[in-house]
Amino acid sequence: MQRRFLIQAIAGLAGISLLAPALMAQTRPQVEVWKDPNCGCCKDWVAHMEANGFDVKVHDSGNTAARKRLGIPDKLGSCHTALVGGYAIEGHVPAREVHRLLKERPAAVGLSVPGMPVGSPGMDGKIYGNRKDPYDVVLISRSGDTRVYQSYHRT
């Protein structure tokens, strides 16, 4: 009886160890991104997201249709649009704020960093030197109103 229990326990642990990588992969939030295939800053933002715990699927088909479909007003537009956890993410939003959004789960369309501010993730490459322009991450309500979610006003 003890031998059978031991064999079952070992088999169970072996099964768990085979499933562990799949289960761990599922804990990384999935991000779907629409961007221009030739945009370097979009590629850098994708790398930023991957380096900060996200699995990213990229569509190199442009982002205008995705932005409209996900409810991002044109005035808040940028060069790429993403979807994560049911939220739209527009532009160079830091991964830190996306993690916060997924934790807090506000009733909202999503987040945006309008335009392409230098110093934001993806717009922080060597080509820009150490330049860091101030910018805001805005939360977009379902009514289309916005409020500052996080400010990045560096000196």
Side-chain angles (χ1 to χ4, degrees):
M1 185 73 148
Q2 288 179 339
R3 183 176 172 182
R4 184 181 322 154
F5 176 77
L6 182 60
I7 291 171
Q8 288 173 339
I10 291 171
L13 288 175
I16 289 172
S17 67
L18 292 174
L19 290 175
L23 293 173
M24 288 175 62
Q26 290 176 2
T27 63
R28 291 174 58 98
Q30 304 293 307
V31 179
E32 196 166 2
V33 179
W34 292 267
K35 67 176 201 59
D36 182 278
N38 301 309
C39 184
C41 66
C42 294
K43 291 176 187 172
D44 291 347
W45 183 80
V46 166
H48 163 76
M49 295 300 284
E50 290 172 335
N52 284 278
F54 292 91
D55 285 333
V56 182
K57 178 180 181 182
V58 175
H59 301 278
D60 285 326
S61 57
N63 69 318
T64 305
R67 182 187 310 130
K68 183 174 182 142
R69 182 173 45 83
L70 296 174
I72 302 290
D74 287 339
K75 68 181 180 181
L76 300 176
S78 187
C79 56
H80 57 267
T81 303
L83 179 65
V84 58
Y87 290 102
I89 305 297
E90 182 69 20
H92 296 271
V93 176
R96 174 180 131 181
E97 305 315 326
V98 178
H99 281 296
R100 178 179 157 205
L101 178 76
L102 294 174
K103 182 179 179 185
E104 293 177 356
R105 308 252 358 129
V109 171
L111 299 175
S112 175
V113 170
M116 299 169 64
V118 173
S120 61
M123 293 292 296
D124 53 355
K126 290 181 182 180
I127 191 170
Y128 303 107
N130 290 324
R131 185 174 149 197
K132 295 182 191 275
D133 295 347
Y135 66 95
D136 291 326
V137 178
V138 295
L139 180 72
I140 308 162
S141 73
R142 292 185 179 144
S143 68
D145 295 331
T146 61
R147 70 170 176 83
V148 174
Y149 193 67
Q150 182 66 49
S151 286
Y152 287 83
H153 291 267
R154 302 175 180 111
T155 56

